[in-house]
mmCIF file of all heavy atoms in Angstrom:
data_model
loop_
_atom_site.group_PDB
_atom_site.id
_atom_site.type_symbol
_atom_site.label_atom_id
_atom_site.label_comp_id
_atom_site.label_asym_id
_atom_site.label_seq_id
_atom_site.Cartn_x
_atom_site.Cartn_y
_atom_site.Cartn_z
ATOM 1 N N MET A 1 -70.909 -93.934 231.657
ATOM 2 C CA MET A 1 -70.318 -94.841 230.680
ATOM 3 C C MET A 1 -68.890 -94.427 230.340
ATOM 4 O O MET A 1 -67.984 -95.233 230.264
ATOM 5 C CB MET A 1 -71.177 -94.843 229.404
ATOM 6 C CG MET A 1 -70.590 -95.732 228.297
ATOM 7 S SD MET A 1 -70.507 -97.478 228.768
ATOM 8 C CE MET A 1 -72.251 -97.901 228.707
ATOM 9 N N ALA A 2 -68.672 -93.106 230.118
ATOM 10 C CA ALA A 2 -67.332 -92.643 229.761
ATOM 11 C C ALA A 2 -66.325 -92.968 230.844
ATOM 12 O O ALA A 2 -65.216 -93.412 230.571
ATOM 13 C CB ALA A 2 -67.360 -91.138 229.501
ATOM 14 N N ILE A 3 -66.710 -92.741 232.110
ATOM 15 C CA ILE A 3 -65.801 -93.011 233.215
ATOM 16 C C ILE A 3 -65.519 -94.495 233.306
ATOM 17 O O ILE A 3 -64.379 -94.917 233.539
ATOM 18 C CB ILE A 3 -66.390 -92.485 234.533
ATOM 19 C CG1 ILE A 3 -66.516 -90.964 234.461
ATOM 20 C CG2 ILE A 3 -65.521 -92.882 235.711
ATOM 21 C CD1 ILE A 3 -67.212 -90.362 235.652
ATOM 22 N N GLU A 4 -66.548 -95.320 233.076
ATOM 23 C CA GLU A 4 -66.341 -96.765 233.097
ATOM 24 C C GLU A 4 -65.388 -97.178 232.003
ATOM 25 O O GLU A 4 -64.539 -98.051 232.185
ATOM 26 C CB GLU A 4 -67.686 -97.475 232.924
ATOM 27 C CG GLU A 4 -68.611 -97.311 234.136
ATOM 28 C CD GLU A 4 -69.994 -97.859 233.863
ATOM 29 O OE1 GLU A 4 -70.216 -98.355 232.738
ATOM 30 O OE2 GLU A 4 -70.841 -97.806 234.772
ATOM 31 N N GLN A 5 -65.504 -96.565 230.815
ATOM 32 C CA GLN A 5 -64.596 -96.877 229.715
ATOM 33 C C GLN A 5 -63.168 -96.511 230.084
ATOM 34 O O GLN A 5 -62.229 -97.238 229.790
ATOM 35 C CB GLN A 5 -65.008 -96.110 228.453
ATOM 36 C CG GLN A 5 -66.310 -96.624 227.839
ATOM 37 C CD GLN A 5 -66.785 -95.722 226.735
ATOM 38 O OE1 GLN A 5 -66.159 -94.691 226.439
ATOM 39 N NE2 GLN A 5 -67.883 -96.092 226.118
ATOM 40 N N ARG A 6 -62.992 -95.357 230.730
ATOM 41 C CA ARG A 6 -61.644 -94.953 231.112
ATOM 42 C C ARG A 6 -61.046 -95.934 232.085
ATOM 43 O O ARG A 6 -59.893 -96.325 231.970
ATOM 44 C CB ARG A 6 -61.672 -93.556 231.751
ATOM 45 C CG ARG A 6 -60.274 -93.037 232.088
ATOM 46 C CD ARG A 6 -60.351 -91.901 233.090
ATOM 47 N NE ARG A 6 -60.844 -92.371 234.367
ATOM 48 C CZ ARG A 6 -60.099 -92.989 235.274
ATOM 49 N NH1 ARG A 6 -58.835 -93.247 235.051
ATOM 50 N NH2 ARG A 6 -60.620 -93.384 236.421
ATOM 51 N N ARG A 7 -61.848 -96.340 233.077
ATOM 52 C CA ARG A 7 -61.336 -97.270 234.070
ATOM 53 C C ARG A 7 -61.020 -98.620 233.446
ATOM 54 O O ARG A 7 -60.052 -99.282 233.811
ATOM 55 C CB ARG A 7 -62.357 -97.421 235.195
ATOM 56 C CG ARG A 7 -62.417 -96.159 236.068
ATOM 57 C CD ARG A 7 -63.570 -96.204 237.039
ATOM 58 N NE ARG A 7 -63.570 -95.016 237.886
ATOM 59 C CZ ARG A 7 -64.607 -94.624 238.607
ATOM 60 N NH1 ARG A 7 -65.735 -95.317 238.586
ATOM 61 N NH2 ARG A 7 -64.536 -93.548 239.358
ATOM 62 N N ALA A 8 -61.869 -99.032 232.471
ATOM 63 C CA ALA A 8 -61.605 -100.298 231.796
ATOM 64 C C ALA A 8 -60.295 -100.237 231.045
ATOM 65 O O ALA A 8 -59.511 -101.183 231.027
ATOM 66 C CB ALA A 8 -62.746 -100.635 230.831
ATOM 67 N N ALA A 9 -60.018 -99.079 230.405
ATOM 68 C CA ALA A 9 -58.756 -98.933 229.688
ATOM 69 C C ALA A 9 -57.581 -99.066 230.634
ATOM 70 O O ALA A 9 -56.579 -99.716 230.338
ATOM 71 C CB ALA A 9 -58.710 -97.579 228.974
ATOM 72 N N GLY A 10 -57.693 -98.470 231.824
ATOM 73 C CA GLY A 10 -56.627 -98.581 232.806
ATOM 74 C C GLY A 10 -56.441 -100.010 233.261
ATOM 75 O O GLY A 10 -55.326 -100.486 233.433
ATOM 76 N N ASP A 11 -57.561 -100.745 233.444
ATOM 77 C CA ASP A 11 -57.472 -102.126 233.887
ATOM 78 C C ASP A 11 -56.811 -103.009 232.859
ATOM 79 O O ASP A 11 -56.256 -104.050 233.177
ATOM 80 C CB ASP A 11 -58.885 -102.681 234.179
ATOM 81 C CG ASP A 11 -59.511 -102.007 235.394
ATOM 82 O OD1 ASP A 11 -58.745 -101.402 236.174
ATOM 83 O OD2 ASP A 11 -60.745 -102.067 235.538
ATOM 84 N N ASN A 12 -56.861 -102.602 231.571
ATOM 85 C CA ASN A 12 -56.252 -103.401 230.527
ATOM 86 C C ASN A 12 -54.752 -103.176 230.417
ATOM 87 O O ASN A 12 -54.100 -103.699 229.514
ATOM 88 C CB ASN A 12 -56.909 -103.087 229.172
ATOM 89 C CG ASN A 12 -58.304 -103.662 229.102
ATOM 90 O OD1 ASN A 12 -58.595 -104.654 229.759
ATOM 91 N ND2 ASN A 12 -59.168 -103.027 228.321
ATOM 92 N N GLY A 13 -54.238 -102.338 231.266
ATOM 93 C CA GLY A 13 -52.793 -102.173 231.324
ATOM 94 C C GLY A 13 -52.238 -101.029 230.522
ATOM 95 O O GLY A 13 -51.034 -100.833 230.451
ATOM 96 N N VAL A 14 -53.115 -100.249 229.864
ATOM 97 C CA VAL A 14 -52.610 -99.119 229.091
ATOM 98 C C VAL A 14 -52.076 -98.046 230.008
ATOM 99 O O VAL A 14 -51.102 -97.386 229.739
ATOM 100 C CB VAL A 14 -53.740 -98.555 228.195
ATOM 101 C CG1 VAL A 14 -53.255 -97.328 227.448
ATOM 102 C CG2 VAL A 14 -54.214 -99.616 227.232
ATOM 103 N N MET A 15 -52.705 -97.916 231.155
ATOM 104 C CA MET A 15 -52.308 -96.861 232.081
ATOM 105 C C MET A 15 -52.566 -97.350 233.500
ATOM 106 O O MET A 15 -53.654 -97.779 233.824
ATOM 107 C CB MET A 15 -53.145 -95.609 231.789
ATOM 108 C CG MET A 15 -52.818 -94.430 232.671
ATOM 109 S SD MET A 15 -53.996 -93.117 232.348
ATOM 110 C CE MET A 15 -52.881 -91.787 232.107
ATOM 111 N N THR A 16 -51.582 -97.335 234.356
ATOM 112 C CA THR A 16 -51.755 -97.821 235.719
ATOM 113 C C THR A 16 -52.262 -96.709 236.610
ATOM 114 O O THR A 16 -51.739 -95.593 236.600
ATOM 115 C CB THR A 16 -50.420 -98.346 236.285
ATOM 116 O OG1 THR A 16 -49.455 -97.314 236.207
ATOM 117 C CG2 THR A 16 -49.949 -99.554 235.493
ATOM 118 N N ALA A 17 -53.280 -97.018 237.401
ATOM 119 C CA ALA A 17 -53.933 -96.002 238.222
ATOM 120 C C ALA A 17 -53.072 -95.538 239.380
ATOM 121 O O ALA A 17 -53.237 -94.453 239.885
ATOM 122 C CB ALA A 17 -55.265 -96.539 238.743
ATOM 123 N N ASP A 94 -71.781 -84.322 237.212
ATOM 124 C CA ASP A 94 -71.645 -84.207 238.656
ATOM 125 C C ASP A 94 -70.169 -83.985 238.987
ATOM 126 O O ASP A 94 -69.305 -84.016 238.097
ATOM 127 C CB ASP A 94 -72.199 -85.443 239.373
ATOM 128 C CG ASP A 94 -71.504 -86.736 238.965
ATOM 129 O OD1 ASP A 94 -70.314 -86.692 238.579
ATOM 130 O OD2 ASP A 94 -72.140 -87.800 239.045
ATOM 131 N N ALA A 95 -69.875 -83.761 240.260
ATOM 132 C CA ALA A 95 -68.510 -83.393 240.663
ATOM 133 C C ALA A 95 -67.491 -84.468 240.290
ATOM 134 O O ALA A 95 -66.394 -84.158 239.816
ATOM 135 C CB ALA A 95 -68.468 -83.124 242.166
ATOM 136 N N GLU A 96 -67.843 -85.737 240.501
ATOM 137 C CA GLU A 96 -66.896 -86.815 240.177
ATOM 138 C C GLU A 96 -66.590 -86.841 238.693
ATOM 139 O O GLU A 96 -65.432 -86.957 238.276
ATOM 140 C CB GLU A 96 -67.459 -88.163 240.615
ATOM 141 C CG GLU A 96 -66.507 -89.320 240.318
ATOM 142 C CD GLU A 96 -67.082 -90.676 240.689
ATOM 143 O OE1 GLU A 96 -68.237 -90.739 241.156
ATOM 144 O OE2 GLU A 96 -66.363 -91.684 240.501
ATOM 145 N N ALA A 97 -67.639 -86.721 237.873
ATOM 146 C CA ALA A 97 -67.428 -86.738 236.428
ATOM 147 C C ALA A 97 -66.631 -85.517 235.977
ATOM 148 O O ALA A 97 -65.782 -85.610 235.082
ATOM 149 C CB ALA A 97 -68.777 -86.786 235.712
ATOM 150 N N GLN A 98 -66.886 -84.353 236.595
ATOM 151 C CA GLN A 98 -66.106 -83.162 236.269
ATOM 152 C C GLN A 98 -64.626 -83.410 236.502
ATOM 153 O O GLN A 98 -63.776 -83.067 235.666
ATOM 154 C CB GLN A 98 -66.559 -81.979 237.129
ATOM 155 C CG GLN A 98 -67.822 -81.290 236.665
ATOM 156 C CD GLN A 98 -68.140 -80.094 237.540
ATOM 157 O OE1 GLN A 98 -68.160 -80.188 238.770
ATOM 158 N NE2 GLN A 98 -68.385 -78.954 236.913
ATOM 159 N N ASP A 99 -64.296 -84.000 237.652
ATOM 160 C CA ASP A 99 -62.900 -84.292 237.965
ATOM 161 C C ASP A 99 -62.297 -85.228 236.925
ATOM 162 O O ASP A 99 -61.150 -85.051 236.499
ATOM 163 C CB ASP A 99 -62.787 -84.919 239.357
ATOM 164 C CG ASP A 99 -63.049 -83.914 240.473
ATOM 165 O OD1 ASP A 99 -62.880 -82.706 240.229
ATOM 166 O OD2 ASP A 99 -63.424 -84.338 241.576
ATOM 167 N N GLU A 100 -63.063 -86.232 236.520
ATOM 168 C CA GLU A 100 -62.579 -87.201 235.535
ATOM 169 C C GLU A 100 -62.307 -86.514 234.198
ATOM 170 O O GLU A 100 -61.272 -86.726 233.570
ATOM 171 C CB GLU A 100 -63.610 -88.316 235.350
ATOM 172 C CG GLU A 100 -63.822 -89.187 236.581
ATOM 173 C CD GLU A 100 -62.761 -90.259 236.716
ATOM 174 O OE1 GLU A 100 -61.858 -90.323 235.863
ATOM 175 O OE2 GLU A 100 -62.848 -91.029 237.677
ATOM 176 N N PHE A 101 -63.270 -85.696 233.755
ATOM 177 C CA PHE A 101 -63.121 -85.033 232.462
ATOM 178 C C PHE A 101 -61.953 -84.053 232.463
ATOM 179 O O PHE A 101 -61.157 -84.011 231.517
ATOM 180 C CB PHE A 101 -64.423 -84.299 232.101
ATOM 181 C CG PHE A 101 -65.402 -85.130 231.338
ATOM 182 C CD1 PHE A 101 -66.372 -85.872 231.992
ATOM 183 C CD2 PHE A 101 -65.362 -85.166 229.950
ATOM 184 C CE1 PHE A 101 -67.279 -86.640 231.288
ATOM 185 C CE2 PHE A 101 -66.270 -85.933 229.232
ATOM 186 C CZ PHE A 101 -67.239 -86.679 229.906
ATOM 187 N N ALA A 104 -58.575 -85.955 232.577
ATOM 188 C CA ALA A 104 -58.250 -86.542 231.279
ATOM 189 C C ALA A 104 -57.891 -85.454 230.274
ATOM 190 O O ALA A 104 -56.943 -85.600 229.493
ATOM 191 C CB ALA A 104 -59.428 -87.361 230.773
ATOM 192 N N ARG A 155 -65.781 -93.716 218.311
ATOM 193 C CA ARG A 155 -64.783 -94.445 219.090
ATOM 194 C C ARG A 155 -63.843 -95.202 218.151
ATOM 195 O O ARG A 155 -62.629 -95.202 218.326
ATOM 196 C CB ARG A 155 -65.488 -95.418 220.037
ATOM 197 C CG ARG A 155 -64.814 -95.470 221.389
ATOM 198 C CD ARG A 155 -65.506 -96.380 222.347
ATOM 199 N NE ARG A 155 -64.566 -96.869 223.319
ATOM 200 C CZ ARG A 155 -64.762 -97.902 224.079
ATOM 201 N NH1 ARG A 155 -65.872 -98.589 223.983
ATOM 202 N NH2 ARG A 155 -63.858 -98.283 224.948
ATOM 203 N N ARG A 189 -54.673 -92.980 224.451
ATOM 204 C CA ARG A 189 -55.630 -94.050 224.154
ATOM 205 C C ARG A 189 -56.495 -94.321 225.388
ATOM 206 O O ARG A 189 -57.697 -94.577 225.280
ATOM 207 C CB ARG A 189 -54.901 -95.329 223.751
ATOM 208 C CG ARG A 189 -54.260 -95.319 222.359
ATOM 209 C CD ARG A 189 -53.657 -96.680 222.055
ATOM 210 N NE ARG A 189 -52.922 -96.723 220.820
ATOM 211 C CZ ARG A 189 -53.469 -96.983 219.622
ATOM 212 N NH1 ARG A 189 -54.767 -97.216 219.537
ATOM 213 N NH2 ARG A 189 -52.721 -97.020 218.538
ATOM 214 N N ALA A 190 -55.870 -94.285 226.565
ATOM 215 C CA ALA A 190 -56.617 -94.537 227.799
ATOM 216 C C ALA A 190 -57.651 -93.458 228.072
ATOM 217 O O ALA A 190 -58.688 -93.722 228.684
ATOM 218 C CB ALA A 190 -55.650 -94.646 228.977
ATOM 219 N N ASP A 191 -57.374 -92.230 227.619
ATOM 220 C CA ASP A 191 -58.291 -91.116 227.846
ATOM 221 C C ASP A 191 -59.143 -90.809 226.618
ATOM 222 O O ASP A 191 -59.752 -89.747 226.525
ATOM 223 C CB ASP A 191 -57.510 -89.869 228.251
ATOM 224 C CG ASP A 191 -56.904 -90.006 229.646
ATOM 225 O OD1 ASP A 191 -57.573 -90.596 230.507
ATOM 226 O OD2 ASP A 191 -55.774 -89.542 229.856
ATOM 227 N N GLU A 192 -59.179 -91.761 225.678
ATOM 228 C CA GLU A 192 -59.943 -91.583 224.445
ATOM 229 C C GLU A 192 -61.406 -91.252 224.698
ATOM 230 O O GLU A 192 -62.044 -90.521 223.941
ATOM 231 C CB GLU A 192 -59.805 -92.862 223.597
ATOM 232 C CG GLU A 192 -60.784 -92.987 222.446
ATOM 233 C CD GLU A 192 -62.023 -93.781 222.852
ATOM 234 O OE1 GLU A 192 -61.947 -94.608 223.775
ATOM 235 O OE2 GLU A 192 -63.076 -93.539 222.246
ATOM 236 N N TRP A 193 -61.954 -91.749 225.813
ATOM 237 C CA TRP A 193 -63.382 -91.554 226.100
ATOM 238 C C TRP A 193 -63.776 -90.085 226.205
ATOM 239 O O TRP A 193 -64.884 -89.700 225.833
ATOM 240 C CB TRP A 193 -63.764 -92.284 227.394
ATOM 241 C CG TRP A 193 -62.991 -91.847 228.595
ATOM 242 C CD1 TRP A 193 -61.819 -92.375 229.053
ATOM 243 C CD2 TRP A 193 -63.324 -90.788 229.506
ATOM 244 N NE1 TRP A 193 -61.401 -91.708 230.180
ATOM 245 C CE2 TRP A 193 -62.299 -90.740 230.481
ATOM 246 C CE3 TRP A 193 -64.384 -89.895 229.593
ATOM 247 C CZ2 TRP A 193 -62.308 -89.811 231.533
ATOM 248 C CZ3 TRP A 193 -64.393 -88.973 230.633
ATOM 249 C CH2 TRP A 193 -63.359 -88.940 231.589
ATOM 250 N N VAL A 194 -62.855 -89.235 226.718
ATOM 251 C CA VAL A 194 -63.215 -87.824 226.862
ATOM 252 C C VAL A 194 -63.302 -87.150 225.493
ATOM 253 O O VAL A 194 -64.076 -86.217 225.288
ATOM 254 C CB VAL A 194 -62.214 -87.078 227.779
ATOM 255 C CG1 VAL A 194 -60.892 -86.795 227.094
ATOM 256 C CG2 VAL A 194 -62.833 -85.767 228.277
#
Side-chain angles (χ1 to χ4, degrees):
M1 178 63 72
I3 296 174
E4 291 172 0
Q5 290 171 358
R6 184 198 66 81
R7 288 171 178 164
D11 292 342
N12 288 333
V14 177
M15 181 187 230
T16 56
D94 59 28
E96 181 183 1
Q98 280 183 310
D99 288 337
E100 294 278 0
F101 270 91
R155 220 178 154 197
R189 287 184 186 273
D191 290 323
E192 166 266 334
W193 58 269
V194 75

